[in-house]
Amino acid sequence: MDRSEKDDAERRAQERWLEELLRAAEDDHPKMTDKQARIVNAAIEIFAEKGYSAASTSEIASKAGVAEGTIFRHYKTKKELLFSIVSPLVAKLVAPLVLKDFFKVLETPYPNYESFLRAVIRNRSEFVRKHLPALRIMLQEIPFHPELREPYKDVVVEGVLPRIRRTVERFQAEGALRADFPSDAVIRLTVTSAIGFLFVRHILMPDYPWDEEAETERTIDFLMHGLAGPRG
Amino acid sequence: MDRSEKDDAERRAQERWLEELLRAAEDDHPKMTDKQARIVNAAIEIFAEKGYSAASTSEIASKAGVAEGTIFRHYKTKKELLFSIVSPLVAKLVAPLVLKDFFKVLETPYPNYESFLRAVIRNRSEFVRKHLPALRIMLQEIPFHPELREPYKDVVVEGVLPRIRRTVERFQAEGALRADFPSDAVIRLTVTSAIGFLFVRHILMPDYPWDEEAETERTIDFLMHGLAGPRG
Amino acid sequence: MDRSEKDDAERRAQERWLEELLRAAEDDHPKMTDKQARIVNAAIEIFAEKGYSAASTSEIASKAGVAEGTIFRHYKTKKELLFSIVSPLVAKLVAPLVLKDFFKVLETPYPNYESFLRAVIRNRSEFVRKHLPALRIMLQEIPFHPELREPYKDVVVEGVLPRIRRTVERFQAEGALRADFPSDAVIRLTVTSAIGFLFVRHILMPDYPWDEEAETERTIDFLMHGLAGPRG
Amino acid sequence: MDRSEKDDAERRAQERWLEELLRAAEDDHPKMTDKQARIVNAAIEIFAEKGYSAASTSEIASKAGVAEGTIFRHYKTKKELLFSIVSPLVAKLVAPLVLKDFFKVLETPYPNYESFLRAVIRNRSEFVRKHLPALRIMLQEIPFHPELREPYKDVVVEGVLPRIRRTVERFQAEGALRADFPSDAVIRLTVTSAIGFLFVRHILMPDYPWDEEAETERTIDFLMHGLAGPRG
DNA sequence: TATGAATGAGCCTTCATTCAT
DNA sequence: GATGAATGAAGGCTCATTCAT
């Protein structure tokens, strides 16, 4: 009992620490004039509502309560306005993955896939809630703007993925995750389950009376059972 | 042995039957003139490539090798052209769900969640491969066109979902699926895992050297373990 | 008497022949629709009146009696419209200079700088009268559009000028033109006098009651006296 | 010999005196703040490079290193800035013509068309070199701004021209200039030859390796031969 | 006096749609 | 049915000009 209580405490500590870490990687919002902020907010609203291409700068201007020319004083083009919204978001999504400390938690004496998932899912859920409209825009526009993906492609494929793969393989070797799946499959199933949850929760059915805590736990429980190793 | 062999045969029969059923619900292609077909194909290509709003009818016309006016002889508006592509697709996606026979398989003497998943996933994978560009367009445009969702909303929420829920709950009652999850959670996890697989397989990483058969089985295995009941 | 009468006849024949030659190099006007012609005419009028940059396509459209969009069906950009007016004009100005036969007249048994000048000045005067507004535009815009000059630069500098130089030098050697000037100076004085006349006549003071015939002769007479060699 | 030496001395004196006179009519440059001077210089550069209409005040401001608003503190409008550059130039070009003393030289005991031309051409050549970019602008914009010409029209047509005409006619009567040309033709040929030289020298081919002294003399020699009277 | 953010009219250009042939 | 010239509204963007600081 003593032992597992201590473990639990450890795990909770881990989770808190990771959430801290993730949260820390997010604050920025450079100084903006009042007008600029209104432009960005109006743009987010309208891009989210009708899509980037179908949104007109004149509509954005009038919703922001500024002259159309004012938009172009702050952003050279409509596209630059879009990118000013989406780029930092993509950056913030990738940021934690490249933090030196991000995966370190899994190398602690009490490594724990479950705690890790919990921390990440919670944090990302908060993140999604906070940036929902801009994320909608990002999902819509990323397919049409390679410039948004390009800078991160190599980082993810060559930097992040191998690290995750190694981590997963260690868990598999230790018997914590099933070893009959290639590590890539484990990653895929983990990620789609987590993102699937966030997508359904925040985008597909945001108005469903979610018990977020419970649903998060269920998703994790489902994942852990689905991926459990002999020891799991 | 005899028993399980018989069961296996049954299951395979079920799967085949369901795949037949799903496939049968798909053939249509109303009579189109050659020109019309070229217009639609060009539109699919260009909508997929740059999005509906950013695509121009003149570009579609020239890719289709017809005059611009010809498009408007067949489709009153650009939007009607979009809908002529996307609407039948949405219909075909919903169609099997409302087939009287679709869930009947689950009421047979050898009900089997796993077989059911296998049949559905395989069929949808084939479906996605066949309609990939149009599905891309659908995913892009559905958020901006309630008219595309509206006709199916009630059917799904009031017709399909309750039926699935009942089915899942029967499996839970029988101990085939875990009963500690609400049926909605079971459905959500099932659907997001399946769709997640199809999305990664066909849209996110279509060029990855997939072993489709194996990956499908892994996804099902993962799901079954994640959702296994005491008997599972 | 006989002799000089015969010479005179020869010279007149030469002049007629050269004028023919110059005139022949000019007819084109590719097929244009009525609308296109109206657009071009309106553009010429307005470009001439207020300059290319200060002219607006909407004004051109309304003067041409067409919709603004119609302009851009025929000319991709406003600049292309400008060039469609000016480019052929520059071409036509250079064209005679590169004709094989153009300077041949000066190699005939009765070479005659004077006749040559007369033919050229008369023809160019007619040319200017015919294309006055477009020439105005050309003069205005050529400094700002190297693309208009570039194609002819080498042709003139390497092809035409040396030929003129040789011709002038032959006249100088024969004593028909003064030999104490470099050939380049002779050319410069000839050209500026001729163009100066055309400029004053058609652009600077088009409303002055010119006796064109007399003034042309005076210009030639002035030139011939100014450039006369010992034999002249 | 004595006589002609004395004449030559007279002539050189005349030339020097006239050049003095012309030069004296030019100094002005009203007091300008440093900023204003930078604005004007930047404007000259940019107007000359791309034309008045195509130049933007913001580009001028940034080249001048001042804020955009600063331009409008000194010049109510962009046009006023243009005029502040061009108007004084036009004035300076006309100024010598209306000087009481300007033609007086021609009424001295040793009147001399040639000396007069030499003095004027030299002076204007210096003038052009000094004000080249602004002169370019003037040439470009004068056709579009009657306000620039208007104030001088009457002065020139009614004041200056008749005086020149009288002078020329006196030379003709004296046999110094050919009398078979109307005085207007003599004036035209003189002016276009002189301006033609300056134009070719400074604008059309500023990079040609001019021997300015020799070329000026040739131009004058050419003019004098072309216009020589029986006595010339 | 100097600034530069803000303005909004107006520019060039695109585009869905119409219609005479 | 098919064409493609013509349309004109609307779009993104520029620019001379104003004004609070």
Side-chain angles (χ1 to χ4, degrees), chain D residues 69-70 73-74:
Chain D
T70 307
R73 181 151 299 283
H74 292 283

Side-chain angles (χ1 to χ4, degrees), chain C residues 177-190:
Chain C
L177 291 177
R178 57 196 299 175
D180 58 335
F181 281 12
S183 54
D184 277 0
V186 172
I187 296 169
R188 166 176 77 74
L189 292 162
T190 304

